[in-house]
Structure formats: C-alpha cells, structure tokens
Amino acid sequence: MEYDKQIDDLAIFGGPPTFSEKLHVGRPNIGDRQRLLERFNDLLDRKWLSNNGPFVQEFEKRITALTGVKHCIAMCNGTVALEIAIRAANLTGEVIVPAFTFIATAHALQWQEITPVFCDIDPQTHNLDPGKVEEMITPRTTGIIGVHTWGRPCDVEALTEVAQRHKLKLLFDAAHAFGCSHKGRMIGNFGDVEMFSFHATKFLNTFEGGAVVTNDDNLATKMRLMKNFGFAGYDNVIYIGTNGKMNEVSAAMGLTGLESLDEFIATNHRNYKVYEKELKGIPGVKPAYYDETEKCNYQYIILEIDKAVTHVSRDQLIEVLHAENILARRYFFPGCHRMEPYLSCFPHAGLLLPETERLAERVLSLPTGTDIDEKEIIRVCRLLRLVIENGSEVRRQMEMAQKGKSGK
Ligand code: T4K
C-alpha cells in the first residue's frame, strides 16, 4: 500500500494537511443552479413567497408521487414537522424513542411536555430494538417513535406489532430516509405518520425544511391546519396551530434537487462503493452496510471503530482527521440521554442503554455527497489505514504531544 504521507508527516504532528480545503460531512447538494435561479426569478415575478404557494404545492405532489404516500405536508423544518405530527397524533405522557438519534427527536417531545423514554438499539442495525421497546412500556406510554438511522429502515413489522398490541401510536423520524425503501415499499408509508428532513445537510435539501407524510386522511387534515395556525379559511381558526409553513424559496430548492435526485443517489452510491473497497481489511473498522436490494440514498458513510483493535480511539482518529481537513463527525455522540435536560432528569438512563453507549463511543461519519470525488475518498481511506495500521505509535505520539502541551 502506498501512502500519501508517513506518520511523522501527519498534520497533527506539524505536517501539511492532506487537503487544503475542508471536507465536510453534510455538504449540500445544489443541483442545477440555472434551474434554481429561474425558479427564484419566477417566484419573485409572481410575488408569492410563502403560504402554500405553487412551488410548495408542486413539491408536495412530487413527494407523494415518489413515495406513494397519500398525503405530504411540507414544513419549515424537520423538527417542527415532528412536533406537529406528535401533537396531531395526540401523544401525551411518555413516548419511547432511541437515545441514539439527533437531539431533535427527543426535543420534539419534551418541547410539548411529553417525556421521551429512551430505549436501547440493536447494535447491528443501530435502530430501536423492538424487544426492548416492549420492556419500556408503562401505563403512561402513548406512542413509539422509531428513527430510520442513516436511512436504514427500522424493524417496521416488529414495531408495528408491538404498537398494535399495546394500542400505541407509531411514528417514524425518517429525517435520514427520504428515497429509501423497506421490503419494496417506500419509507413514508409506515406507522401513523413519518417525518422527512430537508435540512441543508441532507442529500435532498430545501435550505431548511421538512415534511410529514401519512396515509391517514384525518391526521393529514389536522397537520395541514396545525402548520398554518389552525386557519380553515380567511378569519376562521378551528384548531390550535403554529407556523410550520415551508416558503417558496425552499420549495424551489427542493424541486430543483428532486430533478437531480437520481444523480445525487448515484454519486452517494459510487462514494459508498469506493469507501467499501478502500476500507476493506483495515483491522477494527466496521462500516455500516446498506441493503443494496432496496432503494437507498447512501447519504451517510458510517464506521464503527473498535479501539481494542485499532489502538487509537475514535476521538483520537477524529483529531487526526480534522488536522488533515477531513471534518469527520461523531453522530450521535454522546446520545440524547447524556444531554440536557435529559441528563439532569434521568442521570442513570445509561444503565438501560448499554448498546447506545457503546455505539456512541465508536461511531464516526465521513464526508460524502457531490462535493467529494473518488480520488479524495481514496486519500481519506489511505490516511485512515496509515493511522490505524500504526495505531499504537500514533497514540503514543499524540499522548506525548498532549503531555508536552500540559507541561506534565
Ligand atoms: N431527526 C434526525 C434523526 C435528524 O438527524 C435531524 C437532523 C432531525 C430530526 C431534525 O431535522 P431538521 O429540523 O434539522 O430538519 C446537522 C443538521 O443541522 C441536522 O439537520 C441533522 N439532523 C444532523 C444530523 O446534522 P449539525 O449540528 O451536525 O450541523 P452542522 O452545522 O455542524 O453542519 C454539519 C456539516 O455540514 C458542517 O461540517 C458544515 C456543513 N454544512 C452545513 C450547513 C448547514 C455546509 O457545508 N453547508 C451548510 O449550509 O446538525
């Protein structure tokens, strides 16, 4: 194996960084800029900027067509979309969620004074463990929110079975899973409601944005009212609501992105295959695999780092990578249960979350998307290989440098 550099040349030890420009996890896909600017001109000419404009309506139609779900309601972001779904589904008391998720999943509940009850995950899939969900059910439980982490679907059948047996609502945070399928059916069709995020860092983005999708007519009507203050026409408010509306600029971006969706997915898939090939055989590195027989957006490149084998910890690897301008991330460290207000409310929650805690210490997310090319990925992987194959030495030098800095 040829390396671009040797250990002593690592940027963390004073060498020049491998990349002169930073490589980000979550760099936005832009799509056809000309089409986007044309749409911006259209909406400016039309002087219709928000409140269920034509671009939002078209965006919602495209999403229902793509997912095969009956209703799509576009919103200003995924978090508000989830909050509205939670309220429309009448969740109260306690709701079971994974702690291994972005903090928004838990906050969307707590914001409405519903207690998120953190449940452990299956270490293979990184998703809710349905057996453990059942153990967390109490008389106060009203629902379950599964997260399709990295776009890999939850065990939908088992969760549905548990929810039905206990008469609980089942929602899915599908922030990562737009464009993915489960057993041939598109994500969006499961549970009572599913939520998508179209944040700038998602492979399809609307700057900020999100949507709820459902096949339930009543829930759809409620959520449509709720995202527009409860207005059922001029001067006629029939429900409690908020402002969850998507604006026309966002929808213009979404429509433009949708036109390049296949290309974004093809690029992510190519990147995933390059990573898969180049990371093969690095001891102690376990990539999260996708089921290539399903539709998949491949938007996250996830590794688990087994420190006992690599000798450098996940956090030390992150330090090394950042110095080389590879801004790898530790999603979802340290787990929602170790963040406020949950940490103060349930200081011992970790005792029931051994797999979450283990995974949160091991996971690393690497750059992908249209902003990184094959050669750059190969260089990222070679660097990882170099550092891990010399793990003990890199760790020794990092610890020495640390001691030098702290004067010990
Ligand atoms: N549920 C789940 C499971 C989620 O993952 C999320 C969001 C939600 C719910 C809530 O949906 P939204 O309300 O956000 O629609 C990012 C995103 O902000 C967040 O949307 C996402 N999950 C989460 C996984 O990642 P951060 O704190 O990592 O963002 P930040 O600012 O550090 O950006 C990440 C990288 O992307 C940086 O290296 C810079 C780069 N970047 C970012 C932005 C915004 C760009 O290059 N350009 C940009 O415009 O949370």
Side-chain angles (χ1 to χ4, degrees):
M1 169 65 59
E2 267 181 48
Y3 294 118
D4 293 337
K5 46 168 72 186
Q6 297 305 314
I7 302 176
D8 291 341
D9 313 322
L10 288 173
I12 194 131
F13 302 137
T18 304
F19 297 98
S20 52
E21 305 258 330
K22 292 188 189 324
L23 291 179
H24 296 268
V25 172
R27 202 76 168 145
N29 294 326
I30 305 294
D32 184 336
R33 185 181 293 234
Q34 204 46 46
R35 282 293 289 139
L36 180 64
L37 296 176
E38 279 166 22
R39 286 195 165 100
F40 286 169
N41 271 327
D42 283 355
L43 73 90
L44 293 175
D45 289 345
R46 216 167 18 232
K47 294 198 166 55
W48 197 277
L49 308 185
S50 188
N51 290 14
N52 203 28
F55 282 155
V56 165
Q57 291 181 34
E58 191 184 342
F59 185 60
E60 290 178 346
K61 268 201 202 113
R62 293 270 158 93
I63 290 175
T64 52
L66 207 137
T67 55
V69 186
K70 206 165 164 194
H71 305 281
C72 168
I73 300 143
M75 305 240 186
C76 54
N77 61 58
T79 307
V80 167
L82 191 58
E83 284 169 10
I84 287 178
I86 287 165
R87 194 175 270 263
N90 287 330
L91 299 187
T92 56
E94 293 177 359
V95 172
I96 297 168
V97 285
F100 190 75
T101 179
F102 190 60
I103 195 68
T105 319
H107 278 356
L109 291 161
Q110 188 70 39
W111 192 251
Q112 312 189 65
E113 298 187 6
I114 301 166
T115 306
V117 173
F118 296 121
C119 179
D120 213 1
I121 47 163
D122 174 336
Q124 295 310 320
T125 64
H126 302 180
N127 287 329
L128 270 185
D129 178 333
K132 293 196 178 134
V133 167
E134 189 137 29
E135 290 167 15
M136 312 299 279
I137 296 174
T138 74
R140 277 171 49 77
T141 310
T142 57
I144 303 166
I145 303 182
V147 180
H148 304 304
T149 312
W150 323 132
R152 300 193 303 180
C154 292
D155 186 343
V156 170
E157 289 70 27
L159 289 175
T160 305
E161 198 273 319
V162 173
Q164 283 175 351
R165 201 151 30 81
H166 292 270
K167 298 194 170 39
L168 303 175
K169 290 277 167 33
L170 178 61
L171 276 58
F172 288 105
D173 174 338
H176 299 179
F178 182 68
C180 302
S181 70
H182 173 66
K183 303 204 168 145
R185 226 171 145 210
M186 294 304 282
I187 294 293
N189 285 284
F190 301 104
D192 295 285
V193 191
E194 300 208 53
M195 174 280 275
F196 295 127
S197 165
F198 304 120
H199 181 258
T201 53
K202 299 292 183 285
F203 88 110
L204 176 74
N205 87 84
T206 59
F207 299 98
E208 289 277 356
V212 287
V213 284
T214 182
N215 288 313
D216 181 319
D217 298 344
N218 288 334
L219 275 177
T221 306
K222 256 182 167 180
M223 293 189 292
R224 219 172 252 295
L225 284 167
M226 283 179 166
K227 70 112 205 251
N228 188 28
F229 314 101
F231 273 110
Y234 284 137
D235 312 325
N236 184 24
V237 172
I238 61 164
Y239 221 87
I240 183 166
T242 182
N243 184 353
K245 289 167 284 154
M246 177 178 275
N247 67 61
E248 286 290 277
V249 172
S250 288
M253 183 67 161
L255 285 168
T256 308
L258 281 174
E259 286 164 359
S260 298
L261 200 73
D262 291 345
E263 193 191 304
F264 297 159
I265 292 176
T267 305
N268 284 348
H269 183 241
R270 178 210 62 193
N271 292 351
Y272 167 70
K273 297 307 278 183
V274 178
Y275 271 117
E276 188 185 28
K277 176 164 171 264
E278 294 296 320
L279 292 170
K280 200 158 250 148
I282 305 185
V285 173
K286 182 178 160 202
Y289 292 108
Y290 293 100
D291 179 352
E292 295 187 54
T293 65
E294 295 283 352
K295 284 203 156 85
C296 218
N297 61 38
Y298 302 97
Q299 68 177 313
Y300 289 99
I301 300 292
I302 301 296
L303 309 182
E304 281 179 58
I305 307 298
D306 182 354
K307 185 174 126 188
V309 180
T310 57
H311 302 294
V312 272
S313 68
R314 184 273 314 269
D315 289 352
Q316 284 170 323
L317 269 180
I318 295 248
E319 257 189 80
V320 170
L321 292 173
H322 278 216
E324 303 291 345
N325 277 335
I326 305 160
L327 301 189
R329 297 293 294 262
R330 332 183 260 184
Y331 295 136
F332 292 106
F333 179 82
C336 295
H337 63 298
R338 288 189 177 268
M339 294 182 177
E340 292 301 343
Y342 316 106
L343 180 62
S344 298
C345 295
F346 320 109
H348 305 299
L351 292 173
L352 291 175
L353 303 166
E355 297 299 348
T356 301
E357 299 232 306
R358 206 169 141 267
L359 191 62
E361 288 296 328
R362 297 157 73 101
V363 156
L364 186 137
S365 174
L366 290 172
T368 182
T370 50
D371 217 46
I372 184 167
D373 65 28
E374 202 170 330
K375 282 197 187 126
E376 289 171 321
I377 294 174
I378 292 173
R379 295 183 78 191
V380 170
C381 294
R382 283 197 181 159
L383 190 82
L384 270 171
R385 190 180 289 275
L386 169 79
V387 174
I388 290 173
E389 285 184 349
N390 297 279
S392 303
E393 181 55 20
V394 171
R395 192 189 62 202
R396 194 185 65 80
Q397 290 199 30
M398 284 178 82
E399 285 169 358
M400 262 174 46
Q402 193 58 40
K403 272 190 199 145
K405 258 193 227 157
S406 61
K408 282 184 201 155

